[in-house]
Amino acid sequence: MEILENPGYTVPVQPPARDGVRWLRGRVPRFAEGPVHARRRALAERMLGALDAAALRRPGAPVANLAEALGLPRSAAADVALVASCYQPHQCVTAAADEAVARLVAAAGGRWDEETAVRLGLLVQAHDAVRAAMAGREPPVPTTRRIAPDGSEVVVDLAARPFGAGRHACPARAQAGALVDGARLFRRMHDGPEPLVLPNAWDVASAMALVRAGFAAVGTTSLGVAAAHGLPDAAGRTRSETRELASRLVALPVPITVDIEYGLGADPAELASELAVLGVAGINVEDGRPGGLAPAAEQAHLVRAVKDAAPELFVNARVDTYWRHEAREETRRRADRYVGAGADGVFVPGLRDSALIGALARDLPVPLNLLSQLPLRQLRDLGVRRVSTGSLLFRAALKATAETAESVRAGDSVTGLPTYDEVAARTLDEPPGPLAGIETENPR
Ligand code: HEM
């Protein structure tokens, strides 16, 4: 009999504990056997059966989708990520993960009971497996562990059984499929009949305004994030501000892509991995550096490291030859190298030369992204697949701010703005709902 189906081989059963990660381990089906396992598993299956598959398939971060479907705030995803890194009994528990469990219990209604643990357990089980599936890892969960009758620990290979087998087999195959499908939506948005118009936000309020205006995905602008904090752009000083913003934006019901320059002063691969854990759908990495362009080989290495660290992210490789007015003749060679290193898209800000745009769009095997510096229709006809606003909206907001204040000073009336109550009502506790008309199936 296979180990997974053999009752003599048990999961590492976890004793009850008062709080923290150990409390969670001691209350979920995953680390229980016998009638206790059967009872908790039945509870998990009931919860899974009540989930709406369409809600799981929504655009946006998969764990946030699942959290919402399970009645938690979408913003629970960041805490789920913390707990997932310590969930298995052979992993060590951190104080941060224990605190995250306490916040999750509070978010789930505040009861430290079995029902709450099973609910949170679903989120934690989903976290790593769904990320790995999105990254195309086969099998997403490579191994599991059992305790043999002689008390030794056995590592079981899951290559032939990606969802396990026997009494602990994954009860959420269908839900996993729906979540992965939704999470891949950002990629598919580049394949639609029209270019993806990707507006760039600099804080939660601007991102929410864009979601409310019907944009299907939102990016960030590094200039906007830096300037809003009084910091210089492209100087590697906004890592914590950007990470913090990303951890909030993933609560929105649309895919989020984050501009990380060339690492924001951190190891870009590490930062990419942190953002992927949060449920970000994509990142932009650029080859511009304070003194000029990075050597193409060095940047290709960076793109490869980022892809290896976070394979599920849509990595948009920015070629700064036109932006920096430097080595323009290298544009295509650089784009090819970054694609060879695993880039999922190529972004050439500042490029307006129709002949080169058309050639790149035709020849590159990945979507071409440009700034909205030419009319949308022209970009579409040239084959551009993504059109970003970069820092445009942030700069427009600065202008509107100063002009509105000047109107007040001049005694003019200011009309047509959202009211205080409307803006006050826009919080991440109640983010805008699913967007009507967003294509959630593959448009091809
Ligand atoms: C592609 C994604 C997924 C894969 C490949 C996967 C795989 C697995 C595997 C191999 C096991 C068995 C572990 C063992 O026997 O030791 C398992 C258990 C489990 N999975 Fe999944 N899973 C996925 C997604 C999910 C999702 C989205 C959820 C929740 C919504 C979930 C909930 C669970 C639960 C609760 C268990 C424990 C069941 C028990 O012990 O009775 N999984 N999963």
Side-chain angles (χ1 to χ4, degrees):
M1 186 188 290
E2 262 202 61
I3 288 181
L4 294 177
E5 279 148 351
N6 185 337
Y9 286 77
T10 66
V11 295
V13 174
Q14 298 302 295
R18 268 199 30 239
D19 52 20
V21 174
R22 290 182 184 82
W23 167 82
L24 184 66
R25 288 176 182 164
R27 291 267 187 160
V28 289
R30 178 70 183 79
F31 304 118
E33 289 291 0
V36 175
H37 170 252
R39 183 182 73 227
R40 293 178 186 166
R41 183 163 172 112
L43 192 52
E45 284 171 350
R46 270 207 303 283
M47 289 177 191
L48 288 166
L51 295 180
D52 171 9
L56 301 182
R57 200 172 275 115
R58 271 169 53 177
V63 178
N65 283 354
L66 181 60
E68 187 172 32
L70 285 165
L72 277 95
R74 295 181 62 86
S75 51
D79 281 333
V80 173
L82 273 173
V83 178
S85 64
C86 303
Y87 178 61
Q88 295 290 335
H90 62 270
Q91 294 171 320
C92 71
V93 174
T94 61
D98 278 341
E99 286 159 19
V101 169
R103 283 192 297 271
L104 287 171
V105 170
R111 287 185 308 278
W112 292 81
D113 58 10
E114 188 163 277
E115 198 269 284
T116 304
V118 170
R119 199 141 56 107
L120 299 183
L122 290 176
L123 282 164
V124 177
Q125 286 281 154
H127 185 272
D128 289 356
V130 166
R131 280 190 62 213
M134 277 160 59
R137 288 208 188 106
E138 271 308 324
V141 181
T143 58
T144 187
R145 295 174 189 229
R146 290 293 186 268
I147 309 299
D150 66 3
S152 62
E153 195 178 74
V154 186
V155 175
V156 184
D157 188 305
L158 291 173
R161 304 281 207 151
F163 285 92
R167 61 201 180 280
H168 287 278
C170 185
R173 281 181 89 129
Q175 291 81 3
L179 286 168
V180 171
D181 208 35
R184 289 194 177 134
L185 180 74
F186 183 57
R187 237 160 246 281
R188 298 203 301 268
M189 283 176 176
H190 295 79
D191 300 336
E194 295 295 322
L196 169 65
V197 176
L198 186 81
N200 299 80
W202 58 94
D203 63 6
V204 174
S206 55
M208 273 195 177
L210 294 167
V211 173
R212 299 183 79 86
F215 288 92
V218 171
T220 64
T221 148
S222 67
L223 173 71
V225 175
H229 289 89
L231 292 169
D233 187 32
R237 297 206 15 214
T238 51
R239 177 174 182 270
S240 60
E241 289 78 6
T242 303
R243 195 190 172 286
E244 167 71 18
L245 176 59
S247 74
R248 293 175 191 274
L249 295 186
V250 292
L252 296 174
V254 298
I256 300 297
T257 179
V258 176
D259 180 354
I260 68 161
E261 301 175 352
Y262 50 96
L264 302 171
D267 172 0
E270 231 170 70
L271 181 56
S273 160
E274 280 176 29
L275 294 173
V277 165
L278 291 174
V280 160
I283 54 170
N284 272 13
V285 279
E286 66 201 38
D287 59 6
R289 300 285 187 275
L293 294 178
E298 179 188 314
Q299 186 66 11
H301 187 72
L302 185 153
V303 169
R304 166 59 57 207
V306 161
K307 270 312 277 187
D308 285 349
E312 75 264 47
L313 286 185
F314 185 106
V315 175
N316 204 24
R318 183 172 132 180
V319 181
D320 273 352
T321 46
Y322 275 77
W323 194 242
R324 300 291 187 102
H325 309 285
E326 210 180 311
R328 287 183 168 179
E329 69 289 352
E330 284 183 22
T331 304
R332 179 188 289 251
R333 193 173 63 83
R334 283 178 175 260
D336 285 337
R337 284 197 82 147
Y338 306 157
V339 172
D344 302 283
V346 166
F347 178 31
V348 192
L351 175 60
R352 298 163 195 245
D353 168 350
S354 310
L356 182 57
I357 297 174
L360 285 176
R362 188 187 61 235
D363 298 341
L364 286 174
V366 298
L368 176 64
N369 176 198
L370 292 191
L371 282 179
S372 52
Q373 292 172 312
L374 291 173
L376 188 59
R377 180 187 290 263
Q378 188 182 347
L379 293 173
R380 181 195 65 189
D381 293 346
L382 288 168
V384 174
R385 304 306 318 142
R386 188 205 284 196
V387 178
S388 313
T389 59
S391 63
L392 176 73
L393 307 182
F394 179 71
R395 289 182 287 118
L398 292 184
K399 178 168 184 263
T401 301
E403 283 178 359
T404 308
E406 281 161 12
S407 299
V408 172
R409 187 169 57 193
D412 297 339
S413 61
V414 178
T415 54
L417 303 180
T419 65
Y420 175 93
D421 286 339
E422 279 164 359
V423 176
R426 297 174 192 173
T427 69
L428 287 180
D429 295 342
E430 281 183 51
L435 301 175
I438 286 192
E439 184 59 77
T440 56
E441 298 301 329
N442 190 340
R444 277 188 165 165

